[in-house]
Amino acid sequence: MRLDVRSLCSRLPTYFSRLYSEHVFSEEMRLLRPLLEVEGEEEVMGNVNEVIREEFYGFIDQLLEGWNAGKVKDVLKKYADWAISQLDRVGVEK
Amino acid sequence: MDLNVCMLLWEWPPQLQGGLGVHGYENSKALAKLGCRVSVITRFAVSNPVFQKEAGVKVYRVPERRVVMTIPFNDFRAFLSANLAFNIAATAKIIELEKERRFDLCHVHDWLSAISGLSVKEALGKPMVFTVHSTESVRSGDKGIEPIMNLEKLCAEKADIVITVSNYIKQEVARMGLSEEKIRVIYNGVDSKRFKPASEREKRKVRSKYELDDCRVVLFLGRLDPSKGLDYLLKALPMVLDEEPETKVVIAGQGWLEPMLVALAKLLGVEDHVVFAGYVPSKELPALYSTAEVFVSPSLCEPFGITLLEAMACGTAVVSTYTGGIPEFVKPMENGILVDAHSPDQLAYAITLLFQDEALRRKLAENGRKTVEKDFTWEKTAMETLKVYEEVLESSS
């Protein structure tokens, strides 16, 4: 799915905990979803986390292009890898 | 000291939902008044500019441009992806600003901006201060999300100094395995020029708006979620009404628990005595606090409790619970009353006592205001934060 991540960032509630998510977060996200989808469905082929990793790597390269920030890119990619490795730890597929 | 500080905040007005946002906003302004050059990096907000200057603070909202990614939908995946996008964009913005700003340090608030702070520290070698407003464990009653707890621990370990908003949160951070020597407690504050007792005219307007007539008024203000213990306040109400039949409880704030609280009020037969005020604009809060004779915060878990301080600043007697950071500033029978959490009986007794003993109510209210003026100002919070910055820079130079 193509998501507008900036829009998601803007609309998310601050408070997020397992207790909260179990009761309401899913419902809030269901309501938010139509506001976030752009350019229709896109099938994700292969490993989901690999696809997401490529997206974030592209985002990092794009934002830091021309800043001579090689070390920052590497560090950000390291933390992005860690964060992406956590993505499937919690949450229910919609 | 002329410091250049990069403040990483997930919340900034208009996205204020809890203590982190209020603290970040007020402390940043107070630090700017003390001469610090504060640049806040916060998340994008629809209909708000990507850059603005407010009270001497430069505010940058990121990502500046639309970001579209292919992400299969899953609640946590979407949440963490958006947060990661914010952290990446925040880091890129810091790199961009660093060329001209030369930040002395980076100040991270809770796990939400930890990845950016960690990246800046590791890649640029900037000192990092980490303020913990609450922990995942506290927020969720020890059922927290493991990745968030891992990130909190990592950020606390890597930070040069960790600030906590209460001794209670200090102990929680120490439980992660961090040495207490690395933790400083800096309390939140209140703007006592804004939060002050309102005039009779202002109070009449509030009574009229919420149809309070001449009733005795109990106020709660905060997020409507289970940790606030509002069900215990509602269960206390029939006992209060036995003694004081003309009482109304105003519940101000929003949250997903609201429909359940409305249903509970009906079940208890007290719905005519409860006003669900919803979101109350910030500028109306001092008059609302002042209109109440008693402010009640029946929390089951509270890292600090800024609303109690705001009520005290407005000259309203407070009742709360022996939980979290609350007993660190509410002193029983000196500037408020504390009861056990989960106890409708004790809440009812405390509220009724304050209704019926005017001298006690006045004494607690006056002492409450004095407590805030003496020990809980944002100027004090900022000065102590500045001391931490100086300590960090001295040890890293």
Side-chain angles (χ1 to χ4, degrees):
Chain A
M1 177 190 296
R2 303 285 285 167
L3 282 183
D4 180 348
V5 176
R6 183 177 74 157
S7 183
L8 176 57
C9 192
S10 170
R11 293 172 197 278
L12 278 174
T14 290
Y15 194 66
F16 183 77
S17 73
R18 186 187 292 273
L19 187 68
Y20 182 69
S21 69
E22 279 173 357
H23 291 276
V24 173
F25 194 71
S26 297
E27 179 61 12
E28 281 190 11
M29 295 303 272
R30 191 183 64 77
L31 296 173
L32 268 178
R33 194 168 153 173
L35 303 172
L36 308 169
E37 284 184 55
V38 289
E39 298 164 22
E41 293 282 333
E42 183 168 314
E43 197 70 30
V44 172
M45 306 297 284
N47 184 312
V48 169
N49 283 358
E50 270 308 315
V51 173
I52 296 173
R53 180 176 290 109
E54 286 307 310
E55 294 281 348
F56 275 106
Y57 276 20
F59 183 46
I60 292 167
D61 289 337
Q62 178 199 331
L63 279 179
L64 291 169
E65 192 183 356
W67 285 104
N68 191 23
K71 189 172 181 194
V72 182
K73 274 189 196 178
D74 292 344
V75 171
L76 269 176
K77 284 178 182 175
K78 182 181 83 174
Y79 283 113
D81 282 347
W82 177 82
I84 291 161
S85 75
Q86 308 291 317
L87 290 179
D88 291 322
R89 304 288 286 271
V90 185
V92 182
E93 288 286 351
K94 295 278 116 180
Chain B
M1 195 186 275
D2 182 20
L3 287 182
N4 221 331
V5 179
C6 176
M7 197 75 84
L8 280 157
L9 286 162
W10 179 251
E11 282 188 39
W12 186 267
Q15 292 163 314
L16 287 186
Q17 288 177 295
L20 183 155
V22 175
H23 173 110
Y25 179 61
E26 296 291 348
N27 197 29
S28 295
K29 289 193 299 177
L31 282 163
K33 268 191 190 167
L34 293 176
C36 285
R37 280 174 288 161
V38 182
S39 301
V40 168
I41 318 285
T42 189
R43 61 179 161 140
F44 175 77
V46 173
S47 307
N48 282 268
V50 291
F51 171 74
Q52 69 182 123
K53 199 168 176 188
E54 188 176 352
V57 178
K58 289 179 177 172
V59 182
Y60 301 86
R61 290 191 172 85
V62 297
E64 288 176 339
R65 286 183 289 279
R66 193 183 195 206
V67 184
V68 176
M69 290 188 189
T70 301
I71 295 174
F73 203 85
N74 150 317
D75 297 342
F76 186 64
R77 194 183 282 152
F79 185 89
L80 201 58
S81 296
N83 180 261
L84 181 57
F86 159 73
N87 274 276
I88 290 169
T91 308
K93 178 50 87 176
I94 293 168
I95 300 298
E96 180 192 328
L97 295 174
E98 172 68 7
K99 307 278 176 192
E100 54 166 271
R101 219 56 65 82
R102 299 280 168 207
F103 292 117
D104 292 298
L105 58 86
C106 202
H107 190 160
V108 173
H109 294 261
D110 279 359
W111 70 273
L112 293 150
S113 54
I115 286 177
S116 182
L118 287 163
S119 301
V120 170
K121 180 171 175 63
E122 192 170 328
L124 301 185
K126 299 283 177 193
M128 177 175 67
V129 174
F130 179 35
T131 291
V132 183
H133 298 267
S134 184
T135 64
E136 177 64 6
S137 174
V138 167
R139 275 190 294 269
S140 58
D142 271 336
K143 295 180 200 154
I145 293 165
E146 194 187 328
I148 294 177
M149 293 195 279
N150 291 342
L151 192 51
E152 287 173 341
K153 186 170 186 285
L154 179 66
C155 198
E157 284 168 355
K158 298 271 185 185
D160 292 85
I161 285 187
V162 174
I163 296 172
T164 61
V165 296
S166 62
N167 278 298
Y168 167 66
I169 294 296
K170 178 180 176 176
Q171 295 310 317
E172 288 293 316
V173 175
R175 272 212 303 158
M176 296 175 190
L178 204 72
S179 162
E180 289 195 21
E181 286 175 17
K182 195 174 152 182
I183 309 171
R184 309 285 177 274
V185 177
I186 300 182
Y187 289 125
N188 287 312
V190 171
D191 180 352
S192 57
K193 291 189 186 80
R194 190 161 81 82
F195 288 95
K196 61 185 180 187
S199 67
E200 289 304 318
R201 188 172 155 272
E202 289 172 307
K203 289 196 261 186
R204 275 198 300 277
K205 272 173 73 177
V206 171
R207 282 189 176 271
S208 165
K209 180 173 178 179
Y210 297 109
E211 298 177 355
L212 301 173
D213 306 316
D214 293 324
C215 288
R216 315 212 74 162
V217 178
V218 175
L219 173 68
F220 164 87
L221 188 141
R223 196 173 50 235
L224 309 190
D225 73 42
S227 71
K228 300 297 179 186
L230 273 164
D231 42 340
Y232 295 96
L233 175 59
L234 291 179
K235 285 174 191 162
L237 188 51
M239 290 179 261
V240 174
L241 291 170
D242 282 345
E243 296 290 323
E244 296 286 341
E246 300 300 314
T247 296
K248 281 196 176 176
V249 172
V250 177
I251 295 178
Q254 295 172 309
W256 60 272
L257 202 63
E258 184 170 338
M260 286 162 254
L261 294 170
V262 171
L264 180 60
K266 276 192 189 146
L267 192 69
L268 292 165
V270 295
E271 68 268 33
D272 294 340
H273 296 269
V274 183
V275 178
F276 286 92
Y279 170 76
V280 178
S282 173
K283 63 178 184 196
E284 293 177 20
L285 292 180
L288 180 59
Y289 280 122
S290 301
T291 302
E293 283 172 277
V294 183
F295 177 81
V296 178
S297 171
S299 288
L300 310 181
C301 143
E302 193 67 71
F304 181 79
I306 288 182
T307 54
L308 281 160
L309 278 187
E310 289 174 349
M312 289 158 83
C314 290
T316 303
V318 300
V319 173
S320 193
T321 54
Y322 285 103
T323 48
I326 293 167
E328 294 175 41
F329 62 93
V330 177
K331 302 295 173 194
M333 303 311 274
E334 282 181 32
N335 59 12
I337 295 180
L338 292 180
V339 301
D340 292 333
H342 306 273
S343 175
D345 295 10
Q346 291 185 29
L347 278 174
Y349 177 76
I351 293 166
T352 309
L353 176 68
L354 286 174
F355 276 165
Q356 295 180 348
D357 188 340
E358 191 182 345
L360 175 66
R361 195 173 73 241
R362 278 181 191 277
K363 181 187 115 176
L364 300 186
E366 282 168 17
N367 288 346
R369 171 86 189 163
K370 283 179 194 162
T371 300
V372 172
E373 286 177 326
K374 183 169 170 279
D375 294 323
F376 296 93
T377 64
W378 288 116
E379 291 75 16
K380 190 166 187 239
T381 304
M383 280 193 278
E384 289 174 10
T385 306
L386 192 54
K387 268 189 210 161
V388 167
Y389 291 167
E390 288 167 355
E391 187 183 345
V392 164
L393 292 174
E394 268 171 35
S395 61
S396 62
S397 62

